[in-house]
Amino acid sequence: MAPIGLLGGTFDPVHLGHMRIALEVMEALAFQEVRFIPAASPPHRSDPALDAHARVRLLRAAIADQPGFTLDLRELERPGPSYMVDTLIDLRGEVGTEQPLCLILGMDAFSLLPSWHRWEALAELTHVVVASRPGGAQRPEGAWWRGSVFMNPEQLQATPAGGVYFHRVTALEISATRLRQLINQGQSPRYLVPDAVWRMIDEEHWYQFHG
Ligand code: ATP
């Protein structure tokens, strides 16, 4: 069964690093769709610079013309911290126990996974696809992963959850943190974010705190 990809994040703002990993993973691993799941209140960091409504407007603009990219707002509709384990339990209730789910994580996020709320439960709910990310560790560090390490993508289709698969994507050294700094310094984020995102940020004067 074709897996559903899940890309959670703060998306503050969504950028071409996110878009590219979603597309490359969806194509290479034959996903039926990739759901972008913005976090309301990320447990591991300070509050986002943009409120959820604005981040969702940017996401909608970013994914609008890409077939297979969808938006999943369940973390924004739920009160309290956005724990991925709750999101996955909720999703499982909808898609059933047989549907393969693949949580897409950059290598940086994967390394931090053992600090996530109830992370040991994740392998029962989803596969994890780890995308390479420039700037951090390039070698997979996943000795603590409780499930299997898959060597070929077909294994992601054969079972609903429990595997980790490492996938090399085009290296794009873009981060939302760097983009926020850039805009705050009066520089343009153009060509690092989708055009529609750049236009909206510009029109709304978002992230411009320099006066
Ligand atoms: P910030 O700089 O604010 O922490 P970010 O750019 O890391 O933000 P997030 O919304 O936190 O963006 O990321 C969501 C997911 O996308 C994470 O799993 C992260 O590892 C991954 N990701 C983000 N940017 C890239 C990139 N350039 N290459 C590969 N993976 C990325």
Side-chain angles (χ1 to χ4, degrees):
M1 202 186 301
I4 296 175
L6 310 170
L7 183 59
T10 315
F11 302 112
D12 188 24
V14 60
H15 54 69
L16 291 182
H18 301 125
M19 305 310 289
R20 197 60 214 170
I21 62 171
L23 185 64
E24 289 191 22
V25 167
M26 182 169 78
E27 288 184 333
L29 309 181
F31 290 176
Q32 50 173 288
E33 64 174 303
V34 173
R35 296 192 189 187
F36 288 68
I37 312 179
S41 161
H44 285 291
R45 47 190 290 161
S46 51
D47 283 346
L50 277 195
D51 64 26
H53 178 71
R55 288 182 288 122
V56 167
R57 279 185 61 197
L58 291 174
L59 271 167
R60 278 194 205 287
I63 67 172
D65 63 357
Q66 177 55 52
F69 283 6
T70 58
L71 196 52
D72 187 319
L73 298 181
R74 74 188 65 226
E75 293 192 353
L76 303 179
E77 287 153 6
R78 200 168 67 215
S82 302
Y83 294 127
M84 183 50 77
V85 67
D86 297 334
T87 303
L88 289 165
I89 290 169
D90 208 37
L91 261 166
R92 272 282 166 225
E94 257 171 47
V95 302
T97 52
E98 298 302 310
Q99 169 66 52
L101 292 176
C102 292
L103 180 63
I104 305 164
L105 296 175
M107 187 70 84
D108 58 317
F110 181 65
S111 314
L112 294 174
L113 204 140
S115 66
W116 287 19
H117 181 63
R118 293 186 56 212
W119 68 273
E120 292 98 332
L122 294 177
E124 288 157 29
L125 294 160
T126 186
H127 297 305
V128 175
V129 170
V130 185
S132 52
R133 182 168 188 179
Q138 295 308 304
R139 278 163 49 83
E141 290 163 13
W144 39 264
W145 177 251
R146 301 292 165 93
S148 332
V149 177
F150 289 165
M151 298 317 284
N152 72 67
E154 287 74 40
Q155 292 172 284
L156 296 167
Q157 308 195 6
T159 50
V164 63
Y165 181 77
F166 294 92
H167 188 71
R168 181 158 290 282
V169 295
T170 304
L172 293 174
E173 197 166 3
I174 305 173
S175 77
T177 303
R178 177 79 191 110
L179 286 170
R180 292 192 300 273
Q181 287 167 353
L182 210 80
I183 302 166
N184 192 30
Q185 290 161 6
Q187 292 167 30
S188 173
R190 197 171 187 187
Y191 311 124
L192 297 174
V193 296
D195 267 348
V197 167
W198 164 67
R199 274 193 213 96
M200 197 177 287
I201 289 176
D202 198 48
E203 277 164 24
E204 301 286 354
H205 307 291
W206 283 334
Y207 303 111
Q208 297 174 12
F209 307 116
H210 56 283

